[in-house]
């Protein structure tokens, strides 16, 4: 189980780095607030996606992942905008 866990760790790290890079680019272009910690927010977003996926898998019929995603993204981006 060591090798698959290491691969998963590397994939998640790369995904967090990609998300952090997008946030940093938005900060550099003055689209997002300058005081956002891109590394912390990226970690939170990636972990949140894991949680949404788990809830959807456990309760697909009553978990409206499309609506939850729309509300989450709208709230997130409204809070990040300059």
């Amino acid at each position: 189980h060591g090798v698959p866990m290491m691969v998963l760790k590397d994939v998640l790290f790369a995904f967090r780095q990609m998300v952090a890079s997008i946030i940093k680019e938005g900060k550099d272009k003055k689209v997002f607030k300058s005081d956002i910690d891109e590394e912390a927010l990226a970690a939170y977003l990636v972990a949140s996606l894991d949680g949404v996926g788990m809830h959807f898998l456990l309760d697909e019929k009553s978990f409206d992942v499309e609506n939850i995603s729309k509300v989450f993204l709208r709230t997130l981006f409204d809070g990040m905008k300059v």
Side-chain angles (χ1 to χ4, degrees):
H1 85 16
V3 173
M5 193 62 101
M6 290 298 294
V7 170
L8 179 60
K9 182 179 175 183
D10 290 346
V11 168
L12 289 174
F13 177 77
F15 187 39
R16 283 194 315 270
Q17 292 301 110
M18 181 186 68
V19 172
S21 175
I22 291 167
I23 295 167
K24 183 175 180 343
E25 183 177 334
K27 287 171 51 177
D28 292 345
K29 292 181 177 181
K30 310 279 190 250
V31 175
F32 298 148
K33 295 176 182 175
S34 63
D35 63 344
I36 294 171
D37 180 333
E38 62 264 13
E39 297 291 330
L41 182 56
Y44 183 80
L45 292 173
V46 170
S48 294
L49 286 173
D50 289 342
V52 168
M54 182 187 69
H55 282 270
F56 179 72
L57 289 173
L58 293 174
D59 193 13
E60 183 177 341
K61 291 180 183 174
S62 65
F63 194 78
D64 186 351
V65 72
E66 185 175 334
N67 184 52
I68 289 168
S69 298
K70 284 179 188 177
V71 169
F72 172 74
L73 290 173
R74 183 175 52 242
T75 303
L76 173 71
F77 288 123
D78 284 350
M80 291 174 62
K81 283 190 230 174
V82 173

